[in-house]
Amino acid sequence: MASPQGTAVSLSGVSRSFGAVRALSGVDLAIPEGQCLGLVGHNGAGKSTLMHVLAGTLRPDTGQIALAGEQHDRITVNLAQRLGIRCVFQELSLCPNLTVAENTRILHPSIRGFGWRRKAGRLIAAMLDRIFPGHDISPDAVVADLSIGRRQMVEIARAFTVSQGALRLVILDEPTSSLDATTARQLLDFMRGALKSGVSCVLISHMMGEILNYSDLIAVMKNGQLVASGPVGQFSSESLVELMSGGEHPDRTARQRAARVRAETAISVRAEEPGRGLPFIARQGEVIGLAGLSGHGQTDFLVRVFEAARARHPGLSVSGDVSFVAGDRQADGVFPLWSIADNIGVASLPALRNGLLLSPGKEKDLSDRWGRTMGIKAPSLKDEILSLSGGNQQKALFARALSTRSAVVLMDDPMRGVDINTKLDVYDIIAQEAAGGRTFLWYTTEFEELEYCDRVYVFQNGRIVGELEGEQITEAGVIGSSFKDKEAA
């Protein structure tokens, strides 16, 4: 690990409030040169707000920021860019209507003149090759046409590109949330190599393994304050969870699934589609995992199941209503102009009627109940959905799906940006709902989540190439099936 030559950036007494909500309260934080600071905390703890202050996209109420030997009351976006601060935020910032090359040019005004698209394309392509060797992203591709995983790869690569000046600090806010295990490892290995050149990184992640294995220092935030910091060797996964929660979380293991009561004969979803590999069966009360490398047809399969619940679909049958928890909440999940309560209740409108009209009382009862169940952190559920942190927005999407009467719940990598304690709580809720007879189809890029599934179907190039159950659900089993020869599948 690189030895620090000094302090890249330091923040002193930084505070920020949003109305009555105090998001940051006197935070002091130093980020050494050539090292990675792992920043952890629950959703709403203030991590992203602190990084927005550092990136210049939020103005602090109080505090000082020391950067390049100068003290600043605030950092502007232009100043941050000029001094070499780059950010990859949890809510991606690419312009969907522009190409990959055109999005790169936005960050590099020095690229101009005849052939600027070609120059920007070469710049981003070279960085994608360095970070994600074997990628299939063209600089001419329109961002809206890319999967969320590929968009995240582009955003990450763009942050590391340099056309003039020096790169000082890269902030990575949940950078692997939409990446499969292979591309996530490529990114984190690249990051460790970049530190040797003197670049500093802030890594925000709810995956404890990433924080503990790839950080030099760790800082823990809770309720807008820094509650602990120090070298990575001072912390363990258990101690970090305890610091974030204020107490130990009860141990939960995949063995809980054996205690679930399932109706083995009632089939909720059956798929026998020509050319799509092995048949797929999901029984009532089962939690079925969809695995394999990112972008190999898992999301497309969930969409086909969703459509088959509403209209006949060749080779696909679904029993009962279906609800969907989107992983790409900005594109497919939240209604940005609506309140939190409206976002929760929109899928349950038939149950909220009082005659021909909607009942405000019923809507309030439903949103309050599921807001409490999911632990949504907000002053009021009447607030706009975008006032929530990304993880809390995801909780609202879970609340929307689970508050319905749907027999089948489809989950498209739904834990992006959700903290570890909330994840454990959601796992328990899923287990309880499954015990009550609900069926869950769960696509996830995190192997640990597959251990909560009864069975796992592995996808490759849009086909189901493997089915794993019980002791077969191992990382080696999933990887082996993912790379199985297509003709042998």
Side-chain angles (χ1 to χ4, degrees):
M1 294 185 180
S3 299
Q5 301 300 313
T7 300
V9 183
S10 65
L11 301 97
S12 176
V14 172
S15 298
R16 171 70 195 213
S17 296
F18 298 94
V21 178
R22 196 160 180 79
L24 297 173
S25 182
V27 175
D28 299 328
L29 184 66
I31 304 169
E33 291 180 357
Q35 291 203 356
C36 175
L37 173 72
L39 186 60
V40 298
H42 283 182
N43 295 124
K47 310 181 300 298
S48 294
T49 302
L50 187 65
M51 293 302 102
H52 275 288
V53 167
L54 184 53
T57 51
L58 272 180
R59 182 173 189 145
D61 297 329
T62 61
Q64 291 283 316
I65 303 170
L67 184 63
E70 299 180 359
Q71 292 282 343
H72 303 272
D73 293 328
R74 67 162 295 190
I75 298 291
T76 65
V77 173
N78 288 338
L79 179 61
Q81 292 294 323
R82 182 166 58 81
L83 295 178
I85 298 177
R86 301 284 180 77
C87 303
V88 178
F89 287 119
Q90 189 177 327
E91 307 301 337
L92 303 183
S93 62
L94 298 175
C95 298
N97 60 317
L98 301 183
T99 67
V100 172
E102 289 165 346
N103 270 279
T104 304
R105 163 62 178 78
I106 293 172
L107 205 61
H108 298 281
S110 63
I111 300 177
R112 59 170 67 93
F114 182 76
W116 65 265
R117 284 186 178 85
R118 186 171 61 255
K119 295 174 186 176
R122 285 200 300 264
L123 182 66
I124 190 64
M127 188 56 67
L128 282 166
D129 289 342
R130 288 181 60 190
I131 304 177
F132 305 108
H135 71 89
D136 59 355
I137 302 171
S138 168
D140 297 324
V142 176
V143 166
D145 296 334
L146 299 177
S147 68
I148 188 171
R150 285 170 174 78
R151 276 181 272 156
Q152 193 151 26
M153 292 164 68
V154 171
E155 183 111 33
I156 291 165
R158 187 178 71 155
F160 281 97
T161 55
V162 177
S163 57
Q164 64 177 178
L167 188 62
R168 181 185 301 272
L169 172 68
V170 178
I171 300 167
L172 300 170
D173 190 352
E174 299 290 345
T176 66
S177 58
S178 294
L179 304 182
D180 59 46
T182 300
T183 50
R185 192 173 297 113
Q186 288 174 336
L187 165 62
L188 295 170
D189 288 343
F190 175 85
M191 180 195 73
R192 290 302 314 172
L195 299 176
K196 297 176 183 178
S197 66
V199 175
S200 303
C201 287
V202 175
L203 176 63
I204 301 176
S205 177
H206 292 305
M207 300 179 69
M208 294 298 103
E210 291 181 357
I211 293 293
L212 294 169
N213 293 329
Y214 290 92
S215 301
D216 300 291
L217 307 167
I218 293 178
V220 185
M221 293 191 69
K222 182 180 180 182
N223 298 328
Q225 297 179 312
L226 194 68
V227 296
S229 63
V232 65
Q234 295 181 2
F235 301 93
S236 65
S237 179
E238 292 76 16
S239 67
L240 289 175
V241 172
E242 185 171 359
L243 284 165
M244 288 187 287
S245 64
E248 293 190 14
H249 207 289
D251 182 41
R252 295 163 166 118
T253 71
R255 286 188 291 272
Q256 286 180 328
R257 64 175 178 260
R260 263 197 319 263
V261 178
R262 298 188 302 276
E264 296 291 338
T265 55
I267 295 177
S268 298
V269 180
R270 182 193 295 274
E272 295 181 86
E273 302 175 282
R276 301 230 183 232
L278 301 176
F280 178 98
I281 292 177
R283 298 181 178 89
Q284 182 182 344
E286 281 190 317
V287 179
I288 303 297
L290 311 183
L293 298 178
S294 176
H296 276 249
Q298 300 94 333
T299 298
D300 290 342
F301 178 76
L302 292 176
V303 171
R304 293 200 304 276
V305 172
F306 187 82
E307 293 172 345
R310 287 154 174 76
R312 290 181 61 84
H313 195 292
L316 252 172
S317 62
V318 183
S319 299
D321 293 333
V322 171
S323 58
F324 202 111
V325 182
D328 188 355
R329 55 183 165 268
Q330 295 307 311
D332 304 319
V334 301
F335 293 90
L337 301 181
W338 292 10
S339 70
I340 304 165
D342 289 341
N343 268 274
I344 292 174
V346 66
S348 301
L349 296 182
L352 300 179
R353 287 177 183 159
N354 189 359
L356 296 177
L357 302 177
L358 293 177
S359 167
K362 289 182 179 179
E363 181 183 22
K364 183 178 185 303
D365 290 344
L366 180 132
S367 60
D368 286 350
R369 182 170 71 253
W370 283 98
R372 287 193 303 270
T373 299
M374 299 308 304
I376 296 174
K377 188 175 181 181
S380 170
L381 296 184
K382 294 180 181 179
D383 293 346
E384 290 184 359
I385 186 74
L386 295 186
S387 69
L388 297 177
S389 65
N392 276 290
Q393 290 178 34
Q394 201 67 23
K395 294 180 194 178
L397 297 188
F398 268 106
R400 177 196 299 171
L402 297 178
S403 64
T404 68
R405 299 171 180 172
S406 299
V408 180
V409 178
L410 311 176
M411 306 191 299
D412 185 18
D413 207 7
M415 300 296 188
R416 294 183 64 243
V418 178
D419 64 73
I420 186 170
N421 272 16
T422 299
K423 285 182 179 181
L424 294 172
D425 290 337
V426 172
Y427 301 156
D428 278 352
I429 293 170
I430 290 172
Q432 293 165 13
E433 293 291 314
R438 260 185 172 159
T439 303
F440 290 84
L441 273 57
W442 187 354
Y443 167 48
T444 174
T445 53
E446 298 183 29
F447 172 75
E448 292 80 3
E449 294 182 349
L450 296 176
E451 296 180 338
Y452 288 83
C453 298
D454 299 293
R455 288 182 295 117
V456 171
Y457 287 95
V458 183
F459 284 67
Q460 179 198 74
N461 296 323
R463 304 171 73 247
I464 299 176
V465 296
E467 179 184 357
L468 307 175
E469 184 172 5
E471 299 302 319
Q472 297 174 332
I473 303 175
T474 63
E475 190 165 10
V478 171
I479 293 173
S481 295
S482 298
F483 289 95
K484 186 184 296 183
D485 181 75
K486 183 176 180 180
E487 297 303 319

